[in-house]
Amino acid sequence: MKTILLLLIFPVLLIAQGLKLKDTEDFTISIITDPRASFKEGGLFIGGEIEYSGAIYTRVGVSNFAVLKDGYTEIIGGIGVNFSSGYFDTVRYYTGIRLGVIKRQSANATAGLEAGIDFKLGDKSFIGLRATYDYRSDQEFYDYPNHMIGSGFIRIGTKF
């Protein structure tokens, strides 16, 4: 019962905070990193992305994590819905799906969900956090069963 009540009240609270579908459009380029994986593996996970952002967003990105056994490169696209808040749309919230390919010794599919938040730093720049939960078919490479993996990213970018 408490869960149902929370699910009914939560949208009202978000609307009261000024949450709305994003009504501006822009293109962004950004750099992403996964600090936890970078620290754990002793290397740098880094990538670049380009994105169209309106009420709906679409993004494609390429990332590399060279310190992993036989390297790691991924090409992933995302599509989802954008929300914003703040008088000048200073905060962006987004959620959607991800589909892509991971290249190790061979190409492996990946698919999952993502959610994130971006904060404006000025008229053109932003910093954000993203959480993902992906099914990774490259785990057999390490003699593990393929399974879902959660990741967290920091992104810094600019609008153009």
Side-chain angles (χ1 to χ4, degrees), residues 54-74:
I56 303 294
Y57 72 89
T58 59
R59 175 186 344 98
V60 66
V62 177
S63 301
N64 186 272
F65 201 12
V67 299
L68 294 182
K69 180 180 173 187
D70 289 331
Y72 175 98
T73 301
E74 67 179 19

Side-chain angles (χ1 to χ4, degrees), residues 28-133:
T28 65
I29 56 171
S30 58
I31 295 172
I32 64 165
T33 187
D34 182 339
R36 182 179 158 272
S38 296
F39 180 75
K40 179 182 170 189
E41 300 296 334
L44 180 61
F45 178 99
I46 191 153
E49 300 177 332
I50 186 165
E51 177 179 64
Y52 161 78
S53 179
I56 303 294
Y57 72 89
T58 59
R59 175 186 344 98
V60 66
V62 177
S63 301
N64 186 272
F65 201 12
V67 299
L68 294 182
K69 180 180 173 187
D70 289 331
Y72 175 98
T73 301
E74 67 179 19
I75 301 171
I76 292 192
I79 187 168
V81 63
N82 277 319
F83 299 94
S84 63
S85 68
Y87 190 70
F88 295 105
D89 292 335
T90 55
V91 182
R92 171 189 172 220
Y93 311 87
Y94 59 94
T95 185
I97 59 172
R98 297 163 40 96
L99 298 170
V101 175
I102 297 169
K103 173 74 171 88
R104 289 216 162 149
Q105 287 181 334
S106 62
N108 302 280
T110 184
L113 303 172
E114 67 181 10
I117 184 168
D118 290 340
F119 301 94
K120 274 188 177 179
L121 296 176
D123 288 341
K124 299 239 178 225
S125 59
F126 63 90
I127 188 168
L129 301 172
R130 178 186 306 146
T132 63
Y133 194 59

Side-chain angles (χ1 to χ4, degrees), residues 8-24:
L8 292 173
I9 293 173
F10 190 66
V12 173
L13 293 174
L14 290 176
I15 291 169
Q17 295 299 316
L19 188 71
K20 61 184 180 186
L21 275 175
K22 186 172 181 272
D23 56 5
T24 58

